[in-house]
Amino acid sequence: MIGAGSAMFLVGTLTAVSATVSGYPVFGGQALRYAVAAVLLYAVVLVRGGPRPGRPSGRELVLLTALAGTGLAAFNVCIVAATEDTSPATIGTVVATVPVVLALVGPLLERRRPAPQVVLAACAVAAGAALANGLGGGTVRGLLLALGALAGEVCFSLLAVPLLPRLGPLRVSAYSAALAAPMLLVVGLLVDGSGVLRVPTWAELAAFGYLAVFVTTVAFCLWYGALGGLGPDRAGLFAGLIPISALITTVVLGLGRPGPADLAGAVLVGAGVVLGLGRGREKPSGAAVAVAGAGRNL
């Protein structure tokens, strides 16, 4: 639980910290972030040593490429494109429904029925996150792009489930980051041309360092490690912490102050998480047990 909560709290700081690098080419910056994170993760793999699972099989490579393409690259592309047609509040509200999707689909992947209490809790978390975000407005194209971002967020978790038993959280994080970096660089070249990358300022360098180390390297490993112990459905409840973390980070950086809706949303998210985690999880599948073991060993 601590791992899942910490991971989503770190991810929630992304919005406010990204505001400090708004002048840097978006896709080039994301490519830089994932490239640095991949190097750090690979270095940790070398330092930790231990038994090596070998290179990914053909099936695993396909899943890793799909994970990087949807959960990382496409997610970022949809988020950036959606902001041109709709408000950040609308995007946040749509993406905030990810706990509900994971509560319904996650158990099916483990060949068990969705738990009504967890689904109800996920709905409460999603409602609280939407309340904290505000409902916003926008165009149909913006809404479709927001739904694309939601699909990418779901794929980020579900595509990792069959990979974690053998590769473990650390290697899944490293491979996905390494694959996403060139994908985003290509998108950046198409959008920004030769200006896709430039030498960052010291402030931008510090922000990118934070994004690479904490929001990517640490958060990815914590999240993938938590999936095995909690399952996608219950772990997904913690995604509701993202807008709450974003709100806290915004206040800390002096970029805004919370309103009554923000505070009410935070309370509703907390209640939903407590409700969902208050139910003992059904006996995990063999795959989930293997994931949990891999999470302990990274």
Side-chain angles (χ1 to χ4, degrees):
M1 291 188 292
I2 295 177
S6 299
M8 291 298 101
F9 186 88
L10 288 172
V11 172
T13 66
L14 171 66
T15 303
V17 175
S18 294
T20 65
V21 291
S22 58
Y24 197 91
V26 176
F27 298 114
Q30 292 299 315
L32 180 63
R33 163 196 170 190
Y34 288 125
V36 172
V39 171
L40 292 174
L41 287 162
Y42 182 69
V44 174
V45 171
L46 293 180
V47 170
R48 289 183 66 90
R52 296 175 180 267
R55 295 180 179 180
S57 64
R59 175 178 176 274
E60 288 171 336
L61 186 57
V62 170
L63 287 173
L64 284 166
T65 302
L67 170 58
T70 57
L72 303 183
F75 174 81
N76 281 281
V77 171
C78 287
I79 289 291
V80 172
T83 57
E84 299 177 0
D85 293 271
T86 192
S87 68
T90 298
I91 300 170
T93 299
V94 172
V95 176
T97 61
V98 66
V100 180
V101 179
L102 291 179
L104 293 171
V105 180
L108 298 179
L109 295 179
E110 295 183 337
R111 298 181 180 179
R112 56 187 176 90
R113 294 180 179 179
Q117 185 172 333
V118 177
V119 175
L120 178 62
C123 291
V125 168
L131 185 59
N133 276 306
L135 297 180
T139 66
V140 174
R141 178 178 179 272
L143 178 60
L144 292 175
L145 287 167
L147 289 172
L150 168 64
E153 185 71 10
V154 171
C155 288
F156 176 72
S157 294
L158 296 185
L159 287 176
V161 172
L163 293 166
L164 289 168
R166 195 179 80 87
L167 297 179
L170 188 59
R171 289 175 175 83
V172 170
S173 300
Y175 284 129
S176 60
L179 288 168
M183 294 178 186
L184 286 163
L185 185 60
V186 170
V187 175
L189 287 171
L190 294 174
V191 174
D192 299 312
S194 59
V196 62
L197 291 174
R198 63 169 172 79
V199 178
T201 65
W202 286 110
E204 290 172 337
L205 189 63
F208 282 130
Y210 176 84
L211 294 174
V213 174
F214 294 101
V215 180
T216 307
T217 303
V218 176
F220 279 27
C221 289
L222 287 174
W223 179 248
Y224 285 147
L227 281 178
L230 295 173
D233 51 348
R234 297 175 75 214
L237 296 174
F238 288 93
L241 295 179
I242 293 178
I244 309 305
S245 173
L247 176 64
I248 294 173
T249 309
T250 299
V251 173
V252 171
L253 294 179
L255 301 176
R257 298 176 61 183
D262 301 319
L263 299 177
V267 172
L268 190 53
V269 168
V273 172
V274 171
L275 174 64
L277 296 181
R279 178 187 180 280
R281 186 187 175 194
E282 295 178 8
K283 184 178 180 181
S285 64
V289 172
V291 172
R296 288 192 294 270
N297 296 325
L298 289 183

